[in-house]
Amino acid sequence: MPQLFRRRTNGYVQLFLALVALVVLLAGVALTLNGSPYNTGQNAIPEQPVPFSHQHHVGGLGIDCQYCHTSVDRSSFAGLPDTQTCMTCHSQLWTNADMLAPVRQSLAREEPIEWTRVHDLPDYVYFNHQMHINNGVGCESCHGRVDRMPLMRQDKPLTMKWCLDCHRDPGPRLRPRDKVTAMGYSPESGRSDEEYLKLYDIHTDRMTECTTCHR
Ligand code: HEC
Ligand code: HEC
Ligand code: HEC
Ligand code: HEC
Ligand code: HEC
């Protein structure tokens, strides 16, 4: 009987099995990380050209979100404030602060400040601010207690599961339209979930269809 396999083949088989085990292990690690804060960017604080504090400007001074994010109720984008908006106050306040040097420079050079994006969905996802704001979803539901953030961070995971958790049952997260920018809002005796759905004419069946967010 001729020898079917040479001796060394055994070594190859073992090496092959070891490689398979390694691949399985790595896939497991990848699955665990997918959806973990490390992977979703949740809570990370990217560096900004100016350390702008929402805590001071919103929590302390009480400036409304829409003073700076002017297009949030009429466009898919919330928009970022231009340098003039900062200068309304900072041409008189803290005029020599080093911290504000990039703001003065931006004004002098007529170049916008280059803020680093904190939230950034993949390109294959469609998102729209206006559709949420005008249907009574508060900034707080998706961005958290911005009035307590010395530096901006992504408060929520922004995964598909997270979007769907609300799209399946939005009723309990809705509020009156004039309260969408309020922080620390707690539902008054006011309306029931059903009344809100009727008020905003929301049909939940459409909200979980793939083409709502992938078009
Ligand atoms: C005085 C102007 C001002 C006000 C008022 C303001 N913001 Fe901002 N906001 C900024 C600036 C400037 C940035 C960019 C720098 C940063 O990310 O910290 C920003 C960034 C953000 C971002 C992150 C954008 C990204 O890159 O993903 C969110 C979310 C946000 N603001 C929400 C709010 C909410 C909610 C309110 C009201 C509760 C608010 N802001 C009020 C000026 C303002
Ligand atoms: C309505 C007036 C107003 C506007 C608009 C405004 N600020 Fe301020 N800002 C202030 C005041 C007042 C302080 C001092 C806050 C304090 O000391 O508590 C301040 C403080 C700051 C500071 C110092 C650090 C801190 O947070 O205390 C920075 C940096 C700053 N602002 C950046 C900006 C930028 C960038 C913009 C535009 C996106 C802006 N501000 C728009 C009023 C304003
Ligand atoms: C239903 C969830 C949701 C609500 C409500 C919401 N946002 Fe956002 N916001 C997001 C998501 C998701 C992004 C990232 C969008 C992207 O990457 O395309 C974002 C991005 C932003 C940005 C970055 C610029 C932009 O338009 O992409 C700002 C500023 C912002 N939001 C401010 C606000 C303010 C102010 C409010 C309330 C008036 C608000 N958001 C309400 C989910 C929300
Ligand atoms: C806290 C609740 C909530 C969260 C979180 C939320 N949404 Fe929504 N979304 C709504 C409501 C309410 C509507 C309005 C539905 C309507 O008008 O029928 C809506 C509408 C939309 C629409 C417009 C649908 C249309 O009819 O054109 C899109 C697109 C959308 N959401 C995408 C997203 C994405 C992507 C995410 C996650 C990044 C998300 N939403 C997270 C509550 C939410
Ligand atoms: C309410 C919004 C929303 C709806 C509805 C939705 N998606 Fe998504 N989807 C997202 C968001 C946000 C992401 C990106 C974040 C993530 O990967 O979780 C995503 C990511 C994905 C991805 C990439 C996943 C990955 O791990 O890279 C696939 C595939 C996908 N969606 C398929 C679907 C299918 C199929 C449906 C219909 C059954 C659907 N989506 C419905 C919001 C939505």
Side-chain angles (χ1 to χ4, degrees), residues 80-92:
L80 289 178
D82 59 17
T83 305
Q84 261 318 323
T85 307
C86 312
M87 278 305 184
T88 317
C89 296
H90 289 290
S91 57
Q92 278 129 60

Side-chain angles (χ1 to χ4, degrees), residues 43-146:
N43 290 326
I45 299 178
E47 205 171 312
Q48 299 290 358
V50 180
F52 176 80
S53 166
H54 280 80
Q55 184 168 42
H56 275 160
H57 292 87
V58 177
L61 300 171
I63 312 175
D64 188 84
C65 314
Q66 287 183 267
Y67 182 83
C68 290
H69 304 295
T70 51
S71 60
V72 77
D73 63 345
R74 48 192 163 81
S75 139
S76 56
F77 301 105
L80 289 178
D82 59 17
T83 305
Q84 261 318 323
T85 307
C86 312
M87 278 305 184
T88 317
C89 296
H90 289 290
S91 57
Q92 278 129 60
L93 276 168
W94 285 52
T95 45
N96 292 315
D98 283 349
M99 234 184 245
L100 284 161
V103 180
R104 295 190 296 269
Q105 210 169 64
S106 149
L107 191 75
R109 293 187 187 158
E110 296 181 24
E111 285 167 6
I113 302 170
E114 295 206 6
W115 302 107
T116 308
R117 292 217 51 153
V118 181
H119 305 72
D120 205 355
L121 291 175
D123 290 342
Y124 56 80
V125 180
Y126 176 73
F127 181 77
N128 186 320
H129 273 97
Q130 171 184 243
M131 289 299 288
H132 290 94
I133 302 313
N134 294 333
N135 284 301
V137 186
C139 315
E140 189 177 15
S141 299
C142 304
H143 295 302
R145 289 299 298 265
V146 167

Side-chain angles (χ1 to χ4, degrees), residues 4 10 54 97 125 138 143 149-150 162 168 174 214:
L4 215 50
N10 253 336
H54 280 80
V125 180
H143 295 302
M149 295 181 189
W162 175 79
R168 285 196 187 101
L174 303 180
H214 305 293

Side-chain angles (χ1 to χ4, degrees), residues 34-35 39-40 121-122 124-126 132 157-165 167 206-214:
N34 189 10
N39 197 52
T40 60
L121 291 175
Y124 56 80
V125 180
Y126 176 73
H132 290 94
L158 305 189
T159 53
M160 178 160 130
K161 179 184 178 302
W162 175 79
C163 306
L164 284 171
D165 277 348
H167 275 215
R206 271 209 336 254
M207 291 174 65
T208 49
E209 279 169 17
C210 312
T211 50
T212 296
C213 305
H214 305 293

